[in-house]
Amino acid sequence: MLKEAVYHRPKNNYAYAYDKETIHIRLHTKKDDVKKISLIHGDPYDWNKGEWQTQQAEMKKTGSDDLFDYWFASIQPLYRRLRYSFLLEDETEQTVYTEKGFYEEVPIEGIDYHFCFPFLNPIDAFEAPDWVKETIWYQIFPERFANGDPSLDPEGTVAWGSKDPTPTNFFGGDFQGVIDHLDYLEELGVNGIYFTPIFKAHSNHKYDTIDYMEIDPQFGDKKTFRNLISKCHDRGIRVMLDAVFNHSGYYFEPFQDVIEKGTESKYAQWFHLKENEVVTEPLPNYDAFGFVPSMPKLNTEDPEVKAYLLKVARYWIEEFDIDGWRLDVANEVDHAFWREFRHTVKDAKPDAYILGEIWHDSMPWLQGDQFDAVMNYPFTNAVVDFFAKKNITLPHFKNQLTHVQHMYPQSVNEVSFNLLDSHDTPRVLTYAKGDKKAAKLMYLFQLSYSGTPCIYYGDEIGMTGGEDPGCRKCMVWEKQDQDFELFAFIKKMIKLRKTAPAFGNDGEFSFLDYGDELLAYEKTSETQSMIFLINPTTKAYDLRFEENIKQVVDVDEGSNMKDHNIHLAPSGFIILERR
């Protein structure tokens, strides 16, 4: 037994309050090294005749990646206190893993040898809004979704879809255009809209804010926005806005004052100036997003900046009843600010969703005091690499996803924002080099995976586009240019997610082993168990199931089940349910 590979710490994703009564415990060991693990646990004050009273609970192996096996136990301590250790066994030996190291037997000298979860304080339990678990998001880049009111078009606006998108051209997308197509979104089945920035800005992407308290005139006014929110809510559609609090725009009034007055400006402390006067070329002499001079970084440690941004966060919730904030470049803003941000937002609307844009391991932001979730780019990268780019093997894909699943507590995974593409990446079909079958497999996997999925506008009707700005084309509304077959497929997957308990977030996910080419996984809820068989290869597969199963729905014409015999076409799949 390789003891050096055994790891646990009594915090974060290894030991956490799942709810007000339940503690989740995790541990990892070297892959294929340990055969059985039992959690030895007890209340630290429960003693009888000088002996500490303990129980044992067998831990479940919840997955493996290329290095580790992951183990899990769920405990509901009667008095919400817990001391615990781990009994590890293989074919030849057993050992007890404690906070002070390894022992042949359970240490009885004192409970201080054991890991400690001092008290399950309900306020410490990670609580994200319940509605997010049932939400299918639809990301809209407002400038490119629909032009409903041409009178608002910025100067120089070009005809809708008449040219390729560039970093500087405008096509006139607005709020009225979104209102005009809410029937379309409702038909697709989405029940959440994530808007990229809507506030007054200079650019077409609006990530260079001029005024955080005003809507960009090209999108409409506050009356139109309030009408949009109301109509969305009437249809059961939540709305999340993009908060760009890491940096402002070049034409943000405080920064303009700094340009004019330098360090003598009353706003000098709002930014990170390095010299007395502002210089933008060849590189800015102030901190910015990247080295982009038009996006000066805000000093969120400054009390005035903090007060202003928190006022913004509260205003759009209280005045317009928005349902969440997506936080741009969230990892470059200090943790202290985000803690105050969460307090402000949850005070204004307790079930508001707070989503951070972080592309890497985000555990420091996901401990219940800052964000509800992050954009799950590790999931995105694994799915794109496997299904679209085809540059990783199935074992590698499963290793990556297993690692992602164990990066965060289960309560975080249930609301993780799972996207396949966005305004920052190439589109799904472009990743897949036009292979629609591969794209379908990606949507099947995304929509049947734990978390809250997001579809980027236009992907559902077959739009393509490369890196920014190519991924920001105008939405195609001409029926003859829309892929209705792809739309119908995604619509059907969304309906399954909403109606089949195991398909959606109620289902516990686990990989099955059908070799190194066929992707198989099971989703299990209290009332249903579903098996997904996906063939990402260019050859057909035939296999036989002896279990009592039925096909859930016929959504892949090339794959089928007859009696217990299953045929999987190339790039085909089948969804089964245990009877």
Side-chain angles (χ1 to χ4, degrees):
M1 189 181 301
L2 187 65
K3 295 177 181 177
E4 294 93 329
V6 179
Y7 182 77
H8 172 82
R9 67 172 303 167
K11 203 65 179 172
N12 302 135
N13 53 322
Y14 285 92
Y16 57 89
Y18 178 68
D19 56 33
K20 296 177 181 180
E21 299 176 343
T22 310
I23 297 173
H24 282 180
I25 305 292
R26 286 174 173 167
L27 173 84
H28 77 229
T29 60
K30 182 180 183 295
K31 185 174 182 177
D32 298 330
D33 188 42
V34 177
K35 302 306 177 186
K36 179 182 177 181
I37 299 181
S38 299
L39 182 72
I40 304 166
H41 64 95
D43 186 287
Y45 301 105
D46 185 10
W47 292 75
N48 185 19
K49 297 180 180 179
E51 292 187 359
W52 180 41
Q53 303 300 294
T54 64
Q55 304 173 57
Q56 288 193 17
E58 186 170 344
M59 300 188 75
K60 176 184 178 182
K61 186 159 71 172
T62 53
S64 303
D65 58 23
D66 51 340
L67 295 177
F68 302 112
D69 288 332
Y70 297 91
W71 304 81
F72 170 84
S74 179
I75 303 294
Q76 291 187 323
L78 183 61
Y79 301 104
R80 295 190 284 176
R81 303 178 294 249
L82 200 65
R83 284 277 187 168
Y84 59 95
S85 293
F86 304 90
L87 175 62
L88 288 72
E89 302 178 59
D90 63 15
E91 292 91 344
T92 61
E93 66 173 317
Q94 69 176 37
T95 187
V96 178
Y97 175 46
T98 75
E99 190 169 76
K100 295 184 181 295
F102 295 90
Y103 295 85
E104 293 183 3
E105 297 180 352
V106 179
I108 60 174
E109 292 88 347
I111 59 171
D112 57 315
Y113 279 77
H114 303 272
F115 292 102
C116 181
F117 199 104
F119 196 84
L120 199 170
N121 293 289
I123 197 172
D124 291 335
F126 181 95
E127 289 190 8
D130 282 338
W131 60 264
V132 178
K133 300 174 186 177
E134 311 304 324
T135 302
I136 295 93
W137 294 97
Y138 189 85
Q139 182 187 352
I140 292 179
F141 192 82
E143 219 283 316
R144 305 292 160 77
F145 186 66
N147 188 338
D149 186 354
S151 69
L152 302 174
D153 290 357
E155 183 178 350
T157 295
V158 297
W160 192 259
S162 62
K163 293 184 178 181
D164 290 334
T166 72
T168 57
N169 59 6
F170 290 83
F171 294 89
D174 52 39
F175 290 148
Q176 188 58 51
V178 178
I179 293 172
D180 293 344
H181 292 93
L182 287 178
D183 286 344
Y184 169 86
L185 297 181
E186 194 170 24
E187 180 187 356
L188 180 61
V190 300
N191 52 2
I193 296 175
Y194 152 41
F195 286 108
T196 54
I198 66 169
F199 306 129
K200 186 176 181 181
H202 179 73
S203 67
N204 55 29
H205 57 70
K206 312 302 179 189
Y207 281 95
D208 53 341
T209 311
I210 293 175
D211 191 337
Y212 290 85
M213 302 299 284
E214 294 296 332
I215 288 169
D216 194 284
Q218 86 157 93
F219 296 152
D221 57 21
K222 291 180 178 179
K223 180 180 179 181
T224 307
F225 182 62
R226 185 173 278 110
N227 185 36
L228 169 59
I229 298 291
S230 177
K231 288 183 178 297
C232 284
H233 286 174
D234 287 345
R235 295 167 184 260
I237 298 174
R238 308 272 184 163
V239 177
M240 177 168 62
L241 298 185
D242 211 325
V244 191
F245 290 170
N246 174 68
H247 54 269
S248 72
Y250 185 84
Y251 296 101
F252 182 46
E253 186 174 320
F255 191 65
Q256 285 292 299
D257 194 77
V258 171
I259 290 174
E260 178 184 348
K261 302 173 183 176
T263 52
E264 296 301 314
S265 168
K266 64 178 181 179
Y267 298 108
Q269 297 304 312
W270 281 45
F271 305 93
H272 299 266
L273 306 180
K274 298 177 182 177
E275 297 176 287
N276 293 335
E277 297 181 358
V278 170
V279 175
T280 60
E281 299 294 341
L283 293 175
N285 65 344
Y286 49 89
D287 289 339
F289 170 65
F291 297 105
V292 182
S294 62
M295 296 181 182
K297 182 174 176 61
L298 289 163
N299 178 13
T300 49
E301 296 180 35
D302 180 79
E304 291 184 4
V305 174
K306 187 183 301 183
Y308 174 75
L309 295 179
L310 295 180
K311 179 182 177 182
V312 171
R314 181 181 292 274
Y315 174 78
W316 293 96
I317 293 175
E318 293 183 341
E319 292 296 319
F320 300 93
D321 199 24
I322 67 166
D323 301 290
W325 285 108
R326 181 264 189 186
L327 310 172
D328 189 60
V329 201
N331 57 342
E332 295 187 21
V333 177
D334 63 278
H335 292 279
F337 175 81
W338 289 134
R339 292 187 182 99
E340 292 195 41
F341 175 86
R342 182 181 184 86
H343 177 79
T344 299
V345 168
K346 297 295 184 176
D347 180 65
K349 191 170 190 175
D351 70 343
Y353 182 47
I354 302 176
L355 172 69
E357 184 209 14
I358 300 179
W359 293 52
H360 52 82
D361 186 344
S362 308
M363 194 66 241
W365 292 266
L366 295 169
Q367 301 185 50
D369 61 340
Q370 295 171 68
F371 306 159
D372 293 320
V374 293
M375 301 180 79
N376 196 359
Y377 277 106
F379 165 88
T380 308
N381 295 336
V383 173
V384 169
D385 285 346
F386 179 66
F387 288 106
K389 296 181 179 180
K390 303 183 186 302
N391 59 9
I392 61 173
T393 64
L394 175 59
H396 190 184
F397 172 70
K398 291 166 69 173
N399 287 341
Q400 286 189 335
L401 262 293
T402 298
H403 181 74
V404 171
Q405 290 166 4
H406 293 85
M407 282 170 65
Y408 308 125
Q410 180 180 331
S411 43
V412 172
N413 290 335
E414 290 170 351
V415 293
S416 188
F417 193 85
N418 297 333
L419 65 163
L420 298 178
D421 58 354
S422 72
H423 65 291
D424 285 326
T425 72
R427 288 182 176 269
V428 167
L429 268 176
T430 299
Y431 272 134
K433 298 180 180 178
D435 185 348
K436 190 166 72 171
K437 288 184 177 181
K440 284 183 176 182
L441 298 184
M442 294 168 74
Y443 285 113
L444 166 62
F445 189 80
Q446 177 200 33
L447 290 166
S448 62
Y449 193 74
S450 302
T452 182
C454 181
I455 297 166
Y456 186 44
Y457 80 95
D459 283 351
E460 73 282 358
I461 47 94
M463 285 181 60
T464 59
E467 296 281 358
D468 168 27
C471 55
R472 302 175 181 183
K473 293 178 183 177
C474 292
M475 177 69 176
V476 175
W477 292 113
E478 293 77 17
K479 298 293 186 183
Q480 68 274 13
D481 296 324
Q482 293 183 340
D483 189 330
F484 285 102
E485 196 268 338
L486 182 58
F487 180 94
F489 174 82
I490 295 176
K491 177 181 176 180
K492 188 171 287 188
M493 292 299 102
I494 290 174
K495 184 177 181 180
L496 267 176
R497 184 176 178 89
K498 291 180 175 180
T499 57
F503 193 102
N505 239 343
D506 289 340
E508 181 180 334
F509 180 97
S510 59
F511 282 116
L512 303 175
D513 187 5
Y514 281 84
D516 288 348
E517 292 189 323
L518 289 184
L519 170 61
Y521 55 97
E522 186 169 8
K523 297 289 295 299
T524 305
S525 71
E526 291 184 1
T527 59
Q528 188 181 44
S529 180
M530 302 177 76
I531 296 172
F532 299 77
L533 298 175
I534 297 176
N535 176 17
T537 74
T538 56
K539 58 186 177 183
Y541 272 89
D542 294 289
L543 59 156
R544 181 174 174 83
F545 256 76
E546 297 297 341
E547 301 177 63
N548 192 7
I549 55 175
K550 66 176 182 179
Q551 188 171 351
V552 174
V553 62
D554 184 11
V555 287
D556 179 19
E557 294 179 358
S559 302
N560 55 73
M561 183 181 75
K562 186 175 182 180
D563 297 325
H564 289 268
N565 298 309
I566 294 172
H567 175 74
L568 286 169
S571 298
F573 65 92
I574 195 166
I575 306 171
L576 307 170
E577 181 179 1
R578 297 186 192 274
R579 291 182 183 271

